Amino acid sequence: MSGALSHIRVLDLSRILAGPWAGQMLADFGAEVIKVERPGSGDDTRGWGPPFIKGSESETSDAAYFHSANRGKQSVAVDMARPEGQAIIRELVKVSDVVLENYKVGGLKRYGLDYDSLKELNPRLVYCSITGFGQDGPDAHRAGYDFMIQGMGGLMSVTGEPDGMPMKVGVALVDVMTGLYAANAVQAALLHREETGVGQYIDLALLDVQVATLANQAMNFLAAGKPPGRLGNAHPNIVPYQAFPTADGHIILAVGNDQQFQRFCEVAGCPDLAKEIGFSTNQKRVENRSDLIPLLLPLLLTNSTQQWLEKLTEVGVPCGPINTIEQVFDEPQIKHRQMQVSLAHRDVGDVPSVANPVKFSETPIAYHQAPPVLGEHSVHILESILDMTSEEIESLCNQGVIQRG
């Protein structure tokens, strides 16, 4: 049984997170993903530690950051600044289906590796460019990074406590979401190619993705004309839907409808509260948030987090703990869903990885290997795909055009 994309070859020229995340997604789905890296240093995130992955013999591999976004790929270390390196990449393009890249606007044109140049070699090519601001517009040539895009794109304006500083999300969420959009876009373009035989260019910007994923918060503004603000852990459209202190910690209460609120009030010993005209519907509870929450706070302090979890879960009121990441991987549900996997790494043995959450019935994800050592597959790719001789490869190594792993 092979992966859904086992017939697809991806040339991944990207680095850091958004592009590599897309490449990893495509690799998880079965595509052959060839990661093209700079000789010597490779992807910047190989050095973004500590922590670093270590083997049983204390041999250090790359940073954990790099391992988060590059499993299942093959690494070819090629100096694209050299004409000989550009020639190698162009030859690989001829036999590839997809190119992923996240260089600055126009950055690859000087190497003859831009879309217009490469589509002449392969008209079926799907070429996905990821930049901070897109290929056109007044900011197109600016560099874009996740943190600044969270700020510019409005996410930080709705994240954090009302009286505190605007806060970024604790992971590079814009990069991750852009990687997911990229993987989706690439697959859509491949489906279009099946029908037409023609590839296409995909222009994807971090800022556009951030604005698109403001979701209900963006629509709240467009509908009402009032910019939403920061509510801490509360929800702008649902009440009560936030974190509450308990007798020994905190609990997330996620009441999604009026029936759930009624059941919560019954368990909390205040059934009449759900019948009051100001709290009987979600609309009323949102309008009267400032009156309701002070009434609920002392109620939640009467039991421990675990007691509330047991009581509320029993009657179908959505709730949950606030886990540390250590506690996440100890959760019985996470263990049952096998969200942690072990991958074989050439130099340090088995290394841990977070599983892909997609569960296919017919084409299950197969985890073939951990993220590669820099240049690990250089010789193999040049021999098996480009039919180079050992003498030709040795000469390129000696010239510094490629690097063996």
Side-chain angles (χ1 to χ4, degrees), residues 44 68 167 245 318:
D44 304 59
S68 74
M167 295 295 293

Side-chain angles (χ1 to χ4, degrees), residues 35-48:
K35 184 175 179 69
V36 178
E37 303 184 73
R38 295 187 303 269
S41 57
D43 189 311
D44 304 59
T45 61
R46 287 184 181 273
W48 283 14

Side-chain angles (χ1 to χ4, degrees), residues 193-221:
R193 191 185 71 174
E194 285 191 13
E195 296 293 322
T196 65
V198 179
Q200 63 180 295
Y201 182 75
I202 300 168
D203 170 10
L204 195 56
L206 297 180
L207 184 60
D208 295 350
V209 169
Q210 176 54 79
V211 173
T213 53
L214 287 172
N216 61 300
Q217 294 282 36
M219 286 306 302
N220 289 346
F221 165 71

Side-chain angles (χ1 to χ4, degrees), residues 52-61 347-348:
F52 293 90
I53 297 294
K54 295 183 179 181
S56 57
E57 304 298 324
S58 296
E59 185 174 356
T60 300
S61 178
D347 288 353
V348 297

Side-chain angles (χ1 to χ4, degrees), residues 124-147:
R124 292 172 54 83
L125 185 67
V126 172
Y127 189 111
C128 181
S129 292
I130 298 172
T131 57
F133 298 93
Q135 297 295 311
D136 49 34
D139 290 332
H141 289 278
R142 294 181 61 187
Y145 293 90
D146 181 279
F147 186 12

Side-chain angles (χ1 to χ4, degrees), residues 55-75:
S56 57
E57 304 298 324
S58 296
E59 185 174 356
T60 300
S61 178
D62 298 297
Y65 196 120
F66 176 80
H67 279 257
S68 74
N70 289 286
R71 67 169 169 260
K73 303 178 185 180
Q74 301 176 74
S75 173

